[in-house]
Amino acid sequence: ITEVTNAEDAVLVVLRQVDAEIAELKRPVADAGKPGKRPSKKDLERKEASKQDEEKEEKKEEKPKPPAEPRKLTFQERRRLETLEAEQEALRAKLIQTRLTAAAAVFEKAKAYPETSKEWTEALEASTKRFKEIAEKYPTKGGGLFALYYEGRNYALQGKWEVALNTLAPLTVIDQRIPLAILLRSRALNTSLECMLALEKYEQFDLSARRFALEDVNRLPGARLDADWLGLKYRAALLMKTLADAIDPKNAKTKAEKSRLLVDARRLAIEVAKANAEFAAEAREIAAALGKEVKEGEQTFAMAMDEASVSLDSMQTEAAKAKAAKDPAAKAAAQKAAANH
């Protein structure tokens, strides 16, 4: 952390030097050299007026001064200014990156302690404070948006679900099809879904977020099916299943919505299970449970093939457990589970 702080100080020193040189080049023409205006008799009389008159004068609006005339730069000065401004932008980006690294270093320190311990809490709060400062100082910069995500993530780690949801809200509605925006939205929505499930605020998972969760990651610029996307899709499936379970199947008005939720939840669960990485086991359970509820006519051939693949994986897993089990009762239970897939 000390090394990162020293690096930040070094960047600041150079940045201030560049700022000062740019300010000097942009300094307007001085107003010096013009003869002063001699006060008139009326001005002198006003100066000697009563206190009440002076207060009235102070309340009068001052006329805005005309803008200062910019100094004409030579060709060499213009070239120098362009170079300095490019260096200034690069230094500002480096400063944000250095501050993010410092905040991340404090977060890593928290991971060295047992969760919820005093040391863990103090380190996490110190990290959150740093991320918050960066996010507030650079709200339109990429580094500032990343800091906002990390701030929200830290709140979620502490179980501050409501605060985390509010912090991450601006990131969950980004609707740009560029790599940075997609990355930030997927991370923020993954953490937000965790908060919604904890708070049972399922209604906050709106149609826009649902469509984003159902996106084919391979078709999104710069995206890949990583842990954040798998967490997002698994939690979306779980949330949609919960919403569907709460809908009365006999209600004609909501029957179609229940069906759509179940189909989408099953599709997401199968996708996560097929990836066979994070949340695969949990996703298989959801896919198996929903396989009995979704009508055959509501699934595509591709979905049916995917489900068959997931079922085969599950059956092979249970068969391996049965083979490895030594206890007769455990072996019988594993064989029964494998037969049900």
Side-chain angles (χ1 to χ4, degrees):
I1 297 172
T2 304
E3 291 179 2
V4 177
T5 305
N6 291 340
E8 179 183 339
D9 292 340
V11 174
L12 274 171
V13 169
V14 180
L15 180 58
R16 283 167 184 160
Q17 291 172 349
V18 171
D19 288 343
E21 192 172 347
I22 290 174
E24 179 61 27
L25 284 170
K26 289 185 174 181
R27 182 173 56 84
V29 175
D31 215 11
K34 293 183 179 180
K37 189 179 179 182
R38 180 174 297 200
S40 65
K41 184 179 179 181
K42 188 177 180 180
D43 291 332
L44 294 172
E45 289 174 351
R46 183 178 296 163
K47 189 175 181 181
E48 298 297 326
S50 65
K51 185 178 179 181
Q52 185 178 3
D53 290 337
E54 287 178 357
E55 289 176 352
K56 288 180 181 179
E57 281 296 318
E58 287 174 1
K59 290 179 181 177
K60 287 183 179 180
E61 291 186 8
E62 294 183 3
K63 292 182 179 180
K65 294 180 180 179
E69 182 185 347
R71 188 161 66 90
K72 292 181 179 179
L73 302 178
T74 64
F75 174 77
Q76 289 81 1
E77 285 176 327
R78 286 198 303 272
R79 292 292 299 271
R80 177 61 179 160
L81 182 60
E82 289 172 2
T83 302
L84 285 169
E85 286 177 336
E87 186 179 355
Q88 183 187 54
E89 190 63 28
L91 284 167
R92 284 174 177 170
K94 190 174 181 180
L95 182 62
I96 297 173
Q97 183 180 358
T98 306
R99 287 173 173 169
L100 279 172
T101 303
V106 179
F107 174 75
E108 290 299 318
K109 182 182 175 183
K111 289 163 68 174
Y113 301 111
E115 285 191 18
T116 71
S117 67
K118 181 184 176 183
E119 295 82 2
W120 178 86
T121 303
E122 288 176 352
L124 199 60
E125 287 177 349
S127 170
T128 305
K129 182 182 178 183
R130 286 175 179 252
F131 283 129
K132 183 179 176 67
E133 288 171 355
I134 299 168
E136 289 178 346
K137 191 162 187 176
Y138 309 103
T140 60
K141 300 285 187 181
L145 295 175
F146 268 108
L148 185 64
Y149 163 69
Y150 289 127
E151 180 192 348
R153 176 208 60 184
N154 282 9
Y155 291 135
L157 286 172
Q158 289 181 281
K160 298 178 180 179
W161 309 116
E162 195 71 54
V163 183
L165 267 180
N166 292 334
T167 302
L168 295 169
L171 300 177
T172 62
V173 294
I174 297 175
D175 199 22
Q176 293 175 289
R177 310 287 284 191
I178 57 175
L180 177 62
I182 292 167
L183 176 63
L184 283 167
R185 191 180 187 188
S186 63
R187 289 187 175 185
L189 196 51
N190 177 34
T191 304
S192 294
L193 279 165
E194 183 182 0
C195 298
M196 291 176 203
L197 288 165
L199 293 169
E200 298 184 0
K201 290 193 171 184
Y202 312 125
E203 72 286 349
Q204 291 195 19
F205 188 53
D206 60 21
L207 186 59
S208 174
R210 182 169 153 185
R211 285 172 178 165
F212 185 72
L214 289 163
E215 288 271 15
D216 181 351
V217 178
N218 295 321
R219 295 184 179 181
L220 294 175
R224 60 187 182 86
L225 198 59
D226 57 12
D228 287 303
W229 268 105
L230 291 168
L232 160 59
K233 288 177 177 289
Y234 161 68
R235 291 186 173 109
L238 182 58
L239 190 148
M240 285 192 280
K241 180 182 181 301
T242 306
L243 281 173
D245 290 343
I247 297 175
D248 182 2
K250 297 178 182 178
N251 189 326
K253 293 182 180 179
T254 56
K255 187 177 180 181
E257 175 61 14
K258 181 182 179 78
S259 178
R260 279 194 297 270
L261 284 167
L262 289 172
V263 169
D264 288 346
R266 184 160 167 262
R267 174 182 162 188
L268 287 170
I270 289 173
E271 186 178 355
V272 175
K274 269 187 69 184
N276 202 29
E278 288 85 356
F279 305 103
E282 298 90 334
R284 286 191 188 98
E285 290 181 11
I286 294 176
L290 292 178
K292 301 169 185 176
E293 296 186 53
V294 179
K295 293 179 181 178
E296 290 300 322
E298 294 172 338
Q299 65 175 332
T300 63
F301 176 73
M303 282 180 65
M305 293 301 293
D306 286 343
E307 185 186 9
S309 174
V310 170
S311 296
L312 180 60
D313 288 342
S314 299
M315 184 178 70
Q316 289 173 339
T317 301
E318 296 298 341
K321 287 181 182 178
K323 188 176 181 180
K326 295 181 180 179
D327 181 61
K331 189 169 185 176
Q335 288 174 337
K336 183 178 180 181
N340 289 333
H341 287 286

